[in-house]
Amino acid sequence: KKILIIDDVITAGTAIKETIDLVTENNGIVVGVVVAIDRQEKKEDSYMSDIIIQTYQIPIISICKLKDISNHM
């Protein structure tokens, strides 16, 4: 089964990682993630969303990012 994960916010990516693992353990295939807001949390020099993209080789699409919100203000 192909699964698209939909979440409200990505911060450290913990919920998304756990969901990917759960789907995979149950023979599903995560084809992507859609989040409303990417808080652009950093680990070393990379955003957590970029780390998840690289680790799991799946796209993450965000409706807006923290920088978009701050730029709009």
Side-chain angles (χ1 to χ4, degrees):
K1 295 180 184 179
K2 293 182 180 178
I3 304 295
L4 175 66
I5 298 171
I6 300 173
D7 204 352
D8 55 351
V9 177
I10 182 172
T11 305
T14 305
I16 292 174
K17 291 176 198 174
E18 290 174 356
T19 303
I20 291 170
D21 292 342
L22 182 64
V23 169
T24 304
E25 288 169 9
N26 288 283
N27 301 316
I29 300 169
V30 176
V31 295
V33 178
V34 175
V35 294
I37 301 170
D38 181 348
R39 289 189 52 192
Q40 297 184 298
E41 198 75 21
K42 279 193 170 183
K43 181 178 183 181
E44 298 171 13
D45 291 337
S46 298
Y47 293 120
M48 290 307 298
S49 54
D50 292 334
I51 292 170
I52 294 171
I53 290 168
Q54 292 170 355
T55 302
Y56 293 97
Q57 298 295 304
I58 57 170
I60 296 179
I61 299 167
S62 58
I63 295 171
C64 70
K65 298 181 180 202
L66 186 61
K67 70 176 181 177
D68 299 328
I69 295 169
S70 63
N71 287 342
H72 184 71
M73 295 173 103

